Amino acid sequence: MLFAAILALPFAASAEEVSADKVKAIQDMLAAMQCEVDPSNIEADGDGFELDDVFCADGQYDMDLNADLTVAEKRKE
């Protein structure tokens, strides 16, 4: 069990906390696109953000956002 905890440590340490202000900005940007995402599904990813299970008027997506909150990639699930 200790071995599993040691292996998981680098993954936990590398996860960046997304600030409440940035989460609100992402939620506002998505609302303008008629989309929404649970805040727990927003992850910092390098210079941008990865959003899982984004629900939009036309379906469900995974999205990658640039640092300026523009959509870099949008994949329909």
Side-chain angles (χ1 to χ4, degrees):
M1 233 200 238
L2 180 61
F3 182 70
I6 291 170
L7 286 178
L9 185 60
F11 296 108
S14 66
E16 291 181 45
E17 186 74 22
V18 179
S19 72
D21 290 342
K22 194 58 79 170
V23 169
K24 181 172 177 1
I26 291 170
Q27 294 283 23
D28 291 346
M29 181 271 302
L30 290 174
M33 298 172 55
Q34 297 183 322
C35 300
E36 59 185 25
V37 67
D38 187 298
S40 67
N41 289 335
I42 300 172
E43 298 177 12
D45 184 31
D47 290 334
F49 301 91
E50 182 179 320
L51 284 56
D52 294 321
D53 301 327
V54 179
F55 294 95
C56 298
D58 64 342
Q60 182 177 343
Y61 296 88
D62 285 342
M63 293 184 192
D64 294 329
L65 304 180
N66 296 317
D68 64 355
L69 304 185
T70 57
V71 178
E73 187 175 357
K74 183 176 176 181
R75 300 169 301 281
K76 190 158 188 148
E77 289 191 343

Short mmCIF file of all heavy atoms in Angstrom, two decimals:
data_model
loop_
_atom_site.label_atom_id
_atom_site.label_comp_id
_atom_site.label_asym_id
_atom_site.label_seq_id
_atom_site.Cartn_x
_atom_site.Cartn_y
_atom_site.Cartn_z
N MET A 1 0.80 -1.18 0.00
CA MET A 1 0.00 0.00 0.00
C MET A 1 0.85 1.26 0.00
O MET A 1 0.50 2.22 -0.66
CB MET A 1 -0.91 -0.02 1.22
CG MET A 1 -2.33 0.18 0.81
SD MET A 1 -3.35 0.73 2.12
CE MET A 1 -4.51 -0.56 2.15
N LEU A 2 1.93 1.24 0.71
CA LEU A 2 2.83 2.38 0.74
C LEU A 2 3.37 2.66 -0.65
O LEU A 2 3.47 3.82 -1.06
CB LEU A 2 3.98 2.13 1.72
CG LEU A 2 5.01 3.25 1.84
CD1 LEU A 2 4.34 4.51 2.33
CD2 LEU A 2 6.12 2.84 2.79
N PHE A 3 3.67 1.60 -1.41
CA PHE A 3 4.17 1.75 -2.77
C PHE A 3 3.16 2.48 -3.65
O PHE A 3 3.52 3.38 -4.40
CB PHE A 3 4.51 0.37 -3.35
CG PHE A 3 5.08 0.43 -4.74
CD1 PHE A 3 6.36 0.94 -4.94
CD2 PHE A 3 4.37 0.00 -5.83
CE1 PHE A 3 6.91 1.01 -6.20
CE2 PHE A 3 4.89 0.07 -7.10
CZ PHE A 3 6.18 0.57 -7.29
N ALA A 4 1.89 2.13 -3.52
CA ALA A 4 0.84 2.80 -4.31
C ALA A 4 0.74 4.28 -3.94
O ALA A 4 0.56 5.13 -4.80
CB ALA A 4 -0.50 2.10 -4.09
N ALA A 5 0.87 4.58 -2.66
CA ALA A 5 0.81 5.98 -2.22
C ALA A 5 1.99 6.77 -2.77
O ALA A 5 1.84 7.93 -3.17
CB ALA A 5 0.80 6.05 -0.69
N ILE A 6 3.16 6.16 -2.82
CA ILE A 6 4.34 6.83 -3.35
C ILE A 6 4.18 7.08 -4.85
O ILE A 6 4.54 8.14 -5.35
CB ILE A 6 5.62 6.01 -3.06
CG1 ILE A 6 5.90 6.03 -1.55
CG2 ILE A 6 6.81 6.54 -3.83
CD1 ILE A 6 6.98 5.08 -1.10
N LEU A 7 3.61 6.13 -5.57
CA LEU A 7 3.37 6.30 -7.00
C LEU A 7 2.34 7.40 -7.27
O LEU A 7 2.45 8.12 -8.24
CB LEU A 7 2.91 4.99 -7.64
CG LEU A 7 3.97 3.93 -7.82
CD1 LEU A 7 3.34 2.68 -8.41
CD2 LEU A 7 5.10 4.41 -8.71
N ALA A 8 1.35 7.53 -6.42
CA ALA A 8 0.29 8.51 -6.63
C ALA A 8 0.75 9.92 -6.27
O ALA A 8 0.21 10.90 -6.77
CB ALA A 8 -0.94 8.15 -5.80
N LEU A 9 1.75 10.06 -5.44
CA LEU A 9 2.21 11.37 -4.98
C LEU A 9 2.58 12.32 -6.10
O LEU A 9 2.13 13.47 -6.08
CB LEU A 9 3.38 11.20 -4.00
CG LEU A 9 3.89 12.48 -3.36
CD1 LEU A 9 2.79 13.15 -2.55
CD2 LEU A 9 5.10 12.20 -2.49
N PRO A 10 3.35 11.92 -7.12
CA PRO A 10 3.68 12.88 -8.18
C PRO A 10 2.45 13.39 -8.91
O PRO A 10 2.40 14.55 -9.31
CB PRO A 10 4.58 12.09 -9.13
CG PRO A 10 5.11 10.97 -8.32
CD PRO A 10 4.07 10.68 -7.28
N PHE A 11 1.43 12.55 -9.07
CA PHE A 11 0.22 13.00 -9.75
C PHE A 11 -0.54 14.00 -8.91
O PHE A 11 -1.02 15.00 -9.40
CB PHE A 11 -0.68 11.80 -10.10
CG PHE A 11 -0.04 10.87 -11.08
CD1 PHE A 11 0.42 9.63 -10.68
CD2 PHE A 11 0.12 11.25 -12.40
CE1 PHE A 11 1.03 8.78 -11.60
CE2 PHE A 11 0.73 10.40 -13.31
CZ PHE A 11 1.18 9.16 -12.90
N ALA A 12 -0.64 13.77 -7.63
CA ALA A 12 -1.33 14.68 -6.74
C ALA A 12 -0.58 16.00 -6.63
O ALA A 12 -1.18 17.07 -6.60
CB ALA A 12 -1.51 14.04 -5.35
N ALA A 13 0.72 15.95 -6.58
CA ALA A 13 1.53 17.16 -6.45
C ALA A 13 1.49 18.00 -7.71
O ALA A 13 1.64 19.21 -7.67
CB ALA A 13 2.97 16.78 -6.10
N SER A 14 1.28 17.37 -8.88
CA SER A 14 1.30 18.11 -10.13
C SER A 14 -0.04 18.78 -10.45
O SER A 14 -0.10 19.64 -11.31
CB SER A 14 1.70 17.19 -11.29
OG SER A 14 0.70 16.22 -11.49
N ALA A 15 -1.11 18.40 -9.76
CA ALA A 15 -2.42 18.99 -10.01
C ALA A 15 -2.43 20.42 -9.47
O ALA A 15 -2.15 20.64 -8.30
CB ALA A 15 -3.51 18.16 -9.36
N GLU A 16 -2.73 21.37 -10.35
CA GLU A 16 -2.78 22.77 -9.94
C GLU A 16 -4.21 23.14 -9.56
O GLU A 16 -5.15 22.75 -10.22
CB GLU A 16 -2.33 23.67 -11.09
CG GLU A 16 -0.87 23.56 -11.42
CD GLU A 16 -0.50 24.50 -12.55
OE1 GLU A 16 -0.94 25.68 -12.52
OE2 GLU A 16 0.19 24.06 -13.46
N GLU A 17 -4.33 23.89 -8.50
CA GLU A 17 -5.62 24.39 -8.08
C GLU A 17 -6.05 25.52 -9.01
O GLU A 17 -5.26 26.40 -9.34
CB GLU A 17 -5.51 24.92 -6.65
CG GLU A 17 -6.82 25.34 -6.05
CD GLU A 17 -7.72 24.19 -5.67
OE1 GLU A 17 -7.20 23.07 -5.47
OE2 GLU A 17 -8.93 24.41 -5.60
N VAL A 18 -7.29 25.48 -9.47
CA VAL A 18 -7.83 26.53 -10.32
C VAL A 18 -8.52 27.54 -9.40
O VAL A 18 -9.39 27.17 -8.61
CB VAL A 18 -8.82 25.96 -11.36
CG1 VAL A 18 -9.39 27.07 -12.22
CG2 VAL A 18 -8.14 24.91 -12.22
N SER A 19 -8.13 28.80 -9.50
CA SER A 19 -8.68 29.83 -8.61
C SER A 19 -10.18 30.01 -8.85
O SER A 19 -10.70 29.76 -9.95
CB SER A 19 -7.96 31.15 -8.82
OG SER A 19 -8.33 31.72 -10.06
N ALA A 20 -10.86 30.48 -7.81
CA ALA A 20 -12.30 30.72 -7.90
C ALA A 20 -12.61 31.76 -8.97
O ALA A 20 -13.61 31.64 -9.69
CB ALA A 20 -12.84 31.16 -6.55
N ASP A 21 -11.76 32.78 -9.10
CA ASP A 21 -11.97 33.80 -10.13
C ASP A 21 -11.88 33.20 -11.53
O ASP A 21 -12.67 33.54 -12.42
CB ASP A 21 -10.94 34.92 -10.00
CG ASP A 21 -11.17 35.78 -8.77
OD1 ASP A 21 -12.28 35.74 -8.21
OD2 ASP A 21 -10.23 36.50 -8.38
N LYS A 22 -10.92 32.29 -11.74
CA LYS A 22 -10.75 31.67 -13.05
C LYS A 22 -11.92 30.72 -13.34
O LYS A 22 -12.42 30.68 -14.47
CB LYS A 22 -9.42 30.93 -13.11
CG LYS A 22 -9.00 30.54 -14.50
CD LYS A 22 -8.88 31.72 -15.44
CE LYS A 22 -7.59 32.46 -15.23
NZ LYS A 22 -7.34 33.46 -16.29
N VAL A 23 -12.38 29.99 -12.32
CA VAL A 23 -13.54 29.11 -12.50
C VAL A 23 -14.75 29.93 -12.92
O VAL A 23 -15.47 29.56 -13.84
CB VAL A 23 -13.83 28.30 -11.22
CG1 VAL A 23 -15.18 27.60 -11.31
CG2 VAL A 23 -12.72 27.28 -10.97
N LYS A 24 -14.97 31.08 -12.26
CA LYS A 24 -16.10 31.94 -12.61
C LYS A 24 -15.97 32.45 -14.05
O LYS A 24 -16.95 32.46 -14.80
CB LYS A 24 -16.23 33.11 -11.65
CG LYS A 24 -17.41 34.00 -12.00
CD LYS A 24 -17.69 35.05 -10.99
CE LYS A 24 -18.81 35.99 -11.35
NZ LYS A 24 -19.53 35.84 -12.56
N ALA A 25 -14.76 32.84 -14.44
CA ALA A 25 -14.54 33.34 -15.81
C ALA A 25 -14.83 32.23 -16.82
O ALA A 25 -15.44 32.47 -17.87
CB ALA A 25 -13.12 33.86 -15.96
N ILE A 26 -14.42 31.01 -16.51
CA ILE A 26 -14.68 29.87 -17.41
C ILE A 26 -16.19 29.60 -17.47
O ILE A 26 -16.75 29.40 -18.55
CB ILE A 26 -13.90 28.62 -16.96
CG1 ILE A 26 -12.40 28.84 -17.19
CG2 ILE A 26 -14.39 27.37 -17.68
CD1 ILE A 26 -11.51 27.78 -16.56
N GLN A 27 -16.85 29.61 -16.32
CA GLN A 27 -18.30 29.38 -16.29
C GLN A 27 -19.03 30.46 -17.10
O GLN A 27 -19.98 30.16 -17.83
CB GLN A 27 -18.81 29.37 -14.84
CG GLN A 27 -18.30 28.21 -14.02
CD GLN A 27 -19.00 26.89 -14.32
OE1 GLN A 27 -19.57 26.68 -15.37
NE2 GLN A 27 -18.93 25.99 -13.37
N ASP A 28 -18.61 31.73 -16.97
CA ASP A 28 -19.23 32.82 -17.72
C ASP A 28 -19.02 32.65 -19.22
O ASP A 28 -19.94 32.86 -20.02
CB ASP A 28 -18.69 34.18 -17.27
CG ASP A 28 -19.13 34.55 -15.86
OD1 ASP A 28 -20.06 33.91 -15.32
OD2 ASP A 28 -18.51 35.48 -15.29
N MET A 29 -17.81 32.26 -19.62
CA MET A 29 -17.50 32.04 -21.03
C MET A 29 -18.36 30.90 -21.59
O MET A 29 -18.93 31.01 -22.67
CB MET A 29 -16.01 31.72 -21.19
CG MET A 29 -15.54 31.49 -22.62
SD MET A 29 -15.63 29.80 -23.26
CE MET A 29 -14.65 28.86 -22.14
N LEU A 30 -18.50 29.82 -20.80
CA LEU A 30 -19.32 28.69 -21.24
C LEU A 30 -20.79 29.08 -21.34
O LEU A 30 -21.49 28.66 -22.27
CB LEU A 30 -19.14 27.51 -20.29
CG LEU A 30 -17.79 26.81 -20.35
CD1 LEU A 30 -17.70 25.77 -19.25
CD2 LEU A 30 -17.53 26.18 -21.70
N ALA A 31 -21.29 29.87 -20.40
CA ALA A 31 -22.69 30.29 -20.43
C ALA A 31 -23.01 31.05 -21.72
O ALA A 31 -24.08 30.87 -22.30
CB ALA A 31 -23.01 31.15 -19.21
N ALA A 32 -22.05 31.85 -22.18
CA ALA A 32 -22.25 32.58 -23.44
C ALA A 32 -22.34 31.61 -24.63
O ALA A 32 -22.93 31.94 -25.65
CB ALA A 32 -21.11 33.58 -23.65
N MET A 33 -21.76 30.42 -24.47
CA MET A 33 -21.81 29.38 -25.52
C MET A 33 -22.97 28.42 -25.29
O MET A 33 -23.08 27.41 -25.97
CB MET A 33 -20.50 28.57 -25.51
CG MET A 33 -19.27 29.35 -25.82
SD MET A 33 -17.75 28.38 -25.55
CE MET A 33 -18.03 26.93 -26.56
N GLN A 34 -23.85 28.71 -24.32
CA GLN A 34 -24.95 27.84 -23.92
C GLN A 34 -24.43 26.49 -23.43
O GLN A 34 -24.95 25.43 -23.79
CB GLN A 34 -25.96 27.66 -25.05
CG GLN A 34 -26.63 28.94 -25.45
CD GLN A 34 -27.68 28.73 -26.52
OE1 GLN A 34 -27.52 27.92 -27.42
NE2 GLN A 34 -28.77 29.48 -26.41
N CYS A 35 -23.38 26.56 -22.60
CA CYS A 35 -22.77 25.36 -22.03
C CYS A 35 -22.58 25.55 -20.54
O CYS A 35 -22.61 26.66 -20.03
CB CYS A 35 -21.39 25.11 -22.66
SG CYS A 35 -21.40 24.84 -24.44
N GLU A 36 -22.36 24.43 -19.84
CA GLU A 36 -22.04 24.47 -18.42
C GLU A 36 -21.18 23.27 -18.06
O GLU A 36 -21.22 22.25 -18.75
CB GLU A 36 -23.30 24.51 -17.56
CG GLU A 36 -24.21 23.35 -17.76
CD GLU A 36 -25.51 23.47 -16.96
OE1 GLU A 36 -25.93 24.58 -16.63
OE2 GLU A 36 -26.10 22.41 -16.68
N VAL A 37 -20.40 23.42 -16.99
CA VAL A 37 -19.54 22.34 -16.52
C VAL A 37 -19.48 22.41 -15.00
O VAL A 37 -19.54 23.49 -14.40
CB VAL A 37 -18.11 22.44 -17.13
CG1 VAL A 37 -17.36 23.66 -16.62
CG2 VAL A 37 -17.31 21.17 -16.88
N ASP A 38 -19.41 21.26 -14.38
CA ASP A 38 -19.22 21.20 -12.93
C ASP A 38 -17.82 21.72 -12.62
O ASP A 38 -16.86 21.30 -13.27
CB ASP A 38 -19.36 19.74 -12.48
CG ASP A 38 -19.35 19.61 -10.97
OD1 ASP A 38 -18.31 19.96 -10.36
OD2 ASP A 38 -20.34 19.13 -10.41
N PRO A 39 -17.67 22.62 -11.66
CA PRO A 39 -16.34 23.17 -11.36
C PRO A 39 -15.29 22.10 -11.04
O PRO A 39 -14.11 22.31 -11.30
CB PRO A 39 -16.59 24.06 -10.14
CG PRO A 39 -18.03 24.45 -10.26
CD PRO A 39 -18.71 23.26 -10.87
N SER A 40 -15.71 20.96 -10.52
CA SER A 40 -14.76 19.89 -10.22
C SER A 40 -14.19 19.26 -11.48
O SER A 40 -13.20 18.53 -11.42
CB SER A 40 -15.40 18.82 -9.33
OG SER A 40 -16.42 18.14 -10.04
N ASN A 41 -14.79 19.54 -12.64
CA ASN A 41 -14.31 19.00 -13.91
C ASN A 41 -13.44 19.99 -14.67
O ASN A 41 -13.20 19.83 -15.87
CB ASN A 41 -15.49 18.57 -14.79
CG ASN A 41 -16.17 17.33 -14.25
OD1 ASN A 41 -15.56 16.53 -13.55
ND2 ASN A 41 -17.43 17.17 -14.57
N ILE A 42 -12.97 21.04 -13.99
CA ILE A 42 -12.05 22.02 -14.58
C ILE A 42 -10.67 21.78 -13.98
O ILE A 42 -10.50 21.82 -12.76
CB ILE A 42 -12.50 23.46 -14.28
CG1 ILE A 42 -13.90 23.72 -14.85
CG2 ILE A 42 -11.49 24.45 -14.84
CD1 ILE A 42 -14.50 25.06 -14.44
N GLU A 43 -9.69 21.49 -14.84
CA GLU A 43 -8.33 21.24 -14.38
C GLU A 43 -7.36 22.16 -15.10
O GLU A 43 -7.51 22.40 -16.30
CB GLU A 43 -7.93 19.80 -14.68
CG GLU A 43 -8.77 18.76 -13.99
CD GLU A 43 -8.37 17.34 -14.38
OE1 GLU A 43 -7.30 17.17 -15.01
OE2 GLU A 43 -9.13 16.42 -14.08
N ALA A 44 -6.38 22.66 -14.36
CA ALA A 44 -5.29 23.41 -14.99
C ALA A 44 -4.46 22.42 -15.80
O ALA A 44 -4.20 21.30 -15.35
CB ALA A 44 -4.43 24.09 -13.94
N ASP A 45 -4.08 22.81 -17.01
CA ASP A 45 -3.34 21.93 -17.90
C ASP A 45 -2.26 22.75 -18.61
O ASP A 45 -2.54 23.37 -19.64
CB ASP A 45 -4.30 21.30 -18.91
CG ASP A 45 -3.62 20.29 -19.82
OD1 ASP A 45 -2.66 19.64 -19.38
OD2 ASP A 45 -4.07 20.15 -20.98
N GLY A 46 -1.07 22.80 -18.02
CA GLY A 46 -0.01 23.62 -18.61
C GLY A 46 -0.40 25.07 -18.55
O GLY A 46 -0.67 25.61 -17.48
N ASP A 47 -0.46 25.73 -19.71
CA ASP A 47 -0.84 27.14 -19.77
C ASP A 47 -2.33 27.34 -19.95
O ASP A 47 -2.80 28.47 -20.03
CB ASP A 47 -0.10 27.84 -20.92
CG ASP A 47 1.38 27.97 -20.66
OD1 ASP A 47 1.77 28.01 -19.47
OD2 ASP A 47 2.15 28.04 -21.63
N GLY A 48 -3.09 26.26 -20.01
CA GLY A 48 -4.52 26.37 -20.25
C GLY A 48 -5.32 25.54 -19.26
O GLY A 48 -4.89 25.32 -18.13
N PHE A 49 -6.46 25.07 -19.73
CA PHE A 49 -7.37 24.32 -18.87
C PHE A 49 -7.98 23.17 -19.65
O PHE A 49 -8.22 23.26 -20.85
CB PHE A 49 -8.49 25.24 -18.36
CG PHE A 49 -7.96 26.41 -17.60
CD1 PHE A 49 -7.69 27.60 -18.25
CD2 PHE A 49 -7.71 26.31 -16.25
CE1 PHE A 49 -7.17 28.68 -17.56
CE2 PHE A 49 -7.19 27.38 -15.55
CZ PHE A 49 -6.91 28.57 -16.21
N GLU A 50 -8.26 22.09 -18.93
CA GLU A 50 -8.95 20.93 -19.50
C GLU A 50 -10.29 20.82 -18.81
O GLU A 50 -10.36 20.82 -17.58
CB GLU A 50 -8.13 19.67 -19.27
CG GLU A 50 -8.76 18.44 -19.86
CD GLU A 50 -7.91 17.21 -19.64
OE1 GLU A 50 -6.67 17.29 -19.74
OE2 GLU A 50 -8.51 16.16 -19.35
N LEU A 51 -11.36 20.75 -19.60
CA LEU A 51 -12.72 20.65 -19.07
C LEU A 51 -13.30 19.32 -19.52
O LEU A 51 -13.32 19.02 -20.72
CB LEU A 51 -13.60 21.78 -19.60
CG LEU A 51 -13.43 23.18 -19.01
CD1 LEU A 51 -12.03 23.70 -19.10
CD2 LEU A 51 -14.39 24.14 -19.65
N ASP A 52 -13.78 18.54 -18.56
CA ASP A 52 -14.40 17.26 -18.86
C ASP A 52 -15.91 17.37 -18.65
O ASP A 52 -16.37 18.06 -17.75
CB ASP A 52 -13.85 16.16 -17.94
CG ASP A 52 -12.38 15.87 -18.19
OD1 ASP A 52 -11.97 15.88 -19.37
OD2 ASP A 52 -11.65 15.64 -17.22
N ASP A 53 -16.65 16.68 -19.47
CA ASP A 53 -18.10 16.59 -19.35
C ASP A 53 -18.77 17.97 -19.35
O ASP A 53 -19.50 18.34 -18.43
CB ASP A 53 -18.49 15.82 -18.08
CG ASP A 53 -17.93 14.40 -18.09
OD1 ASP A 53 -17.83 13.82 -19.18
OD2 ASP A 53 -17.59 13.89 -17.01
N VAL A 54 -18.51 18.72 -20.41
CA VAL A 54 -19.15 20.02 -20.60
C VAL A 54 -20.48 19.75 -21.31
O VAL A 54 -20.52 19.10 -22.35
CB VAL A 54 -18.28 20.95 -21.47
CG1 VAL A 54 -18.97 22.28 -21.68
CG2 VAL A 54 -16.90 21.14 -20.83
N PHE A 55 -21.57 20.23 -20.71
CA PHE A 55 -22.88 20.02 -21.29
C PHE A 55 -23.32 21.28 -22.02
O PHE A 55 -23.41 22.35 -21.42
CB PHE A 55 -23.89 19.65 -20.20
CG PHE A 55 -23.58 18.31 -19.57
CD1 PHE A 55 -22.84 18.24 -18.40
CD2 PHE A 55 -24.00 17.14 -20.17
CE1 PHE A 55 -22.53 17.03 -17.83
CE2 PHE A 55 -23.69 15.91 -19.60
CZ PHE A 55 -22.97 15.85 -18.43
N CYS A 56 -23.58 21.14 -23.32
CA CYS A 56 -23.99 22.26 -24.16
C CYS A 56 -25.37 21.97 -24.75
O CYS A 56 -25.85 20.84 -24.70
CB CYS A 56 -22.99 22.46 -25.30
SG CYS A 56 -21.32 22.88 -24.75
N ALA A 57 -25.97 22.98 -25.34
CA ALA A 57 -27.30 22.83 -25.94
C ALA A 57 -27.30 21.74 -27.02
O ALA A 57 -28.32 21.08 -27.22
CB ALA A 57 -27.76 24.17 -26.52
N ASP A 58 -26.15 21.54 -27.68
CA ASP A 58 -26.10 20.56 -28.77
C ASP A 58 -25.36 19.27 -28.40
O ASP A 58 -25.02 18.49 -29.27
CB ASP A 58 -25.47 21.18 -30.01
CG ASP A 58 -24.02 21.57 -29.81
OD1 ASP A 58 -23.58 21.69 -28.66
OD2 ASP A 58 -23.32 21.76 -30.82
N GLY A 59 -25.10 19.03 -27.12
CA GLY A 59 -24.48 17.77 -26.72
C GLY A 59 -23.45 17.94 -25.62
O GLY A 59 -23.29 19.01 -25.04
N GLN A 60 -22.73 16.84 -25.37
CA GLN A 60 -21.72 16.79 -24.32
C GLN A 60 -20.34 16.78 -24.95
O GLN A 60 -20.11 16.08 -25.94
CB GLN A 60 -21.92 15.54 -23.46
CG GLN A 60 -20.95 15.43 -22.31
CD GLN A 60 -21.23 14.21 -21.45
OE1 GLN A 60 -22.30 13.62 -21.51
NE2 GLN A 60 -20.25 13.83 -20.67
N TYR A 61 -19.41 17.54 -24.34
CA TYR A 61 -18.07 17.69 -24.90
C TYR A 61 -16.99 17.61 -23.83
O TYR A 61 -17.25 17.84 -22.65
CB TYR A 61 -17.93 19.07 -25.57
CG TYR A 61 -18.83 19.27 -26.76
CD1 TYR A 61 -20.12 19.76 -26.60
CD2 TYR A 61 -18.40 18.96 -28.03
CE1 TYR A 61 -20.95 19.94 -27.69
CE2 TYR A 61 -19.22 19.14 -29.14
CZ TYR A 61 -20.50 19.62 -28.96
OH TYR A 61 -21.32 19.79 -30.04
N ASP A 62 -15.77 17.35 -24.27
CA ASP A 62 -14.56 17.62 -23.52
C ASP A 62 -13.90 18.77 -24.24
O ASP A 62 -13.90 18.81 -25.48
CB ASP A 62 -13.61 16.41 -23.50
CG ASP A 62 -14.09 15.30 -22.57
OD1 ASP A 62 -14.93 15.58 -21.69
OD2 ASP A 62 -13.61 14.18 -22.72
N MET A 63 -13.36 19.74 -23.49
CA MET A 63 -12.75 20.91 -24.12
C MET A 63 -11.39 21.21 -23.51
O MET A 63 -11.16 20.97 -22.33
CB MET A 63 -13.62 22.16 -23.91
CG MET A 63 -14.94 22.15 -24.60
SD MET A 63 -15.77 23.74 -24.33
CE MET A 63 -17.40 23.34 -24.93
N ASP A 64 -10.52 21.74 -24.35
CA ASP A 64 -9.26 22.31 -23.91
C ASP A 64 -9.33 23.80 -24.18
O ASP A 64 -9.73 24.22 -25.27
CB ASP A 64 -8.08 21.70 -24.67
CG ASP A 64 -7.89 20.21 -24.38
OD1 ASP A 64 -8.21 19.79 -23.25
OD2 ASP A 64 -7.44 19.49 -25.27
N LEU A 65 -8.96 24.60 -23.18
CA LEU A 65 -8.97 26.05 -23.32
C LEU A 65 -7.54 26.57 -23.23
O LEU A 65 -6.72 26.05 -22.48
CB LEU A 65 -9.78 26.70 -22.20
CG LEU A 65 -11.23 26.27 -22.02
CD1 LEU A 65 -11.85 27.04 -20.85
CD2 LEU A 65 -12.02 26.47 -23.29
N ASN A 66 -7.26 27.62 -24.01
CA ASN A 66 -6.00 28.33 -23.89
C ASN A 66 -6.03 29.17 -22.63
O ASN A 66 -7.09 29.35 -22.01
CB ASN A 66 -5.77 29.22 -25.12
CG ASN A 66 -5.63 28.41 -26.39
OD1 ASN A 66 -4.96 27.39 -26.42
ND2 ASN A 66 -6.28 28.86 -27.44
N ALA A 67 -4.89 29.74 -22.25
CA ALA A 67 -4.81 30.57 -21.05
C ALA A 67 -5.76 31.76 -21.11
O ALA A 67 -6.27 32.21 -20.08
CB ALA A 67 -3.37 31.05 -20.85
N ASP A 68 -6.04 32.27 -22.32
CA ASP A 68 -6.96 33.42 -22.47
C ASP A 68 -8.42 32.97 -22.58
O ASP A 68 -9.29 33.76 -22.95
CB ASP A 68 -6.55 34.28 -23.65
CG ASP A 68 -6.67 33.55 -24.99
OD1 ASP A 68 -6.97 32.34 -25.01
OD2 ASP A 68 -6.44 34.19 -26.03
N LEU A 69 -8.68 31.71 -22.27
CA LEU A 69 -10.03 31.11 -22.26
C LEU A 69 -10.67 31.00 -23.63
O LEU A 69 -11.90 30.98 -23.74
CB LEU A 69 -10.95 31.84 -21.27
CG LEU A 69 -10.45 31.93 -19.82
CD1 LEU A 69 -11.53 32.55 -18.94
CD2 LEU A 69 -10.02 30.58 -19.29
N THR A 70 -9.87 30.92 -24.67
CA THR A 70 -10.41 30.58 -25.98
C THR A 70 -10.35 29.07 -26.14
O THR A 70 -9.48 28.41 -25.57
CB THR A 70 -9.62 31.27 -27.11
OG1 THR A 70 -8.24 30.90 -27.01
CG2 THR A 70 -9.77 32.78 -27.04
N VAL A 71 -11.27 28.52 -26.90
CA VAL A 71 -11.34 27.08 -27.09
C VAL A 71 -10.24 26.62 -28.02
O VAL A 71 -10.17 27.04 -29.18
CB VAL A 71 -12.72 26.66 -27.64
CG1 VAL A 71 -12.77 25.15 -27.89
CG2 VAL A 71 -13.84 27.09 -26.70
N ALA A 72 -9.36 25.77 -27.51
CA ALA A 72 -8.27 25.20 -28.30
C ALA A 72 -8.72 23.93 -29.00
O ALA A 72 -8.34 23.65 -30.12
CB ALA A 72 -7.05 24.93 -27.44
N GLU A 73 -9.57 23.17 -28.30
CA GLU A 73 -10.08 21.91 -28.86
C GLU A 73 -11.41 21.58 -28.18
O GLU A 73 -11.59 21.80 -26.99
CB GLU A 73 -9.08 20.77 -28.63
CG GLU A 73 -9.47 19.49 -29.33
CD GLU A 73 -8.42 18.40 -29.21
OE1 GLU A 73 -7.36 18.64 -28.63
OE2 GLU A 73 -8.70 17.30 -29.71
N LYS A 74 -12.34 21.05 -28.98
CA LYS A 74 -13.67 20.69 -28.49
C LYS A 74 -14.01 19.33 -29.10
O LYS A 74 -14.12 19.20 -30.31
CB LYS A 74 -14.68 21.76 -28.93
CG LYS A 74 -16.08 21.57 -28.44
CD LYS A 74 -16.94 22.76 -28.88
CE LYS A 74 -18.37 22.57 -28.51
NZ LYS A 74 -19.21 23.70 -28.95
N ARG A 75 -14.13 18.31 -28.23
CA ARG A 75 -14.40 16.94 -28.68
C ARG A 75 -15.76 16.47 -28.17
O ARG A 75 -16.01 16.47 -26.98
CB ARG A 75 -13.31 15.99 -28.14
CG ARG A 75 -11.91 16.36 -28.60
CD ARG A 75 -10.84 15.58 -27.85
NE ARG A 75 -10.83 15.76 -26.41
CZ ARG A 75 -10.31 16.80 -25.76
NH1 ARG A 75 -9.80 17.80 -26.44
NH2 ARG A 75 -10.32 16.85 -24.45
N LYS A 76 -16.62 16.08 -29.12
CA LYS A 76 -17.95 15.59 -28.75
C LYS A 76 -17.82 14.20 -28.15
O LYS A 76 -17.06 13.37 -28.64
CB LYS A 76 -18.87 15.58 -29.95
CG LYS A 76 -20.31 15.33 -29.58
CD LYS A 76 -21.26 15.83 -30.65
CE LYS A 76 -22.66 15.70 -30.09
NZ LYS A 76 -23.53 16.72 -30.58
N GLU A 77 -18.55 13.96 -27.08
CA GLU A 77 -18.53 12.64 -26.44
C GLU A 77 -19.69 11.80 -26.93
O GLU A 77 -20.69 12.25 -27.33
CB GLU A 77 -18.62 12.77 -24.92
CG GLU A 77 -17.35 13.31 -24.34
CD GLU A 77 -17.32 13.18 -22.83
OE1 GLU A 77 -18.37 12.97 -22.20
OE2 GLU A 77 -16.23 13.28 -22.27
#
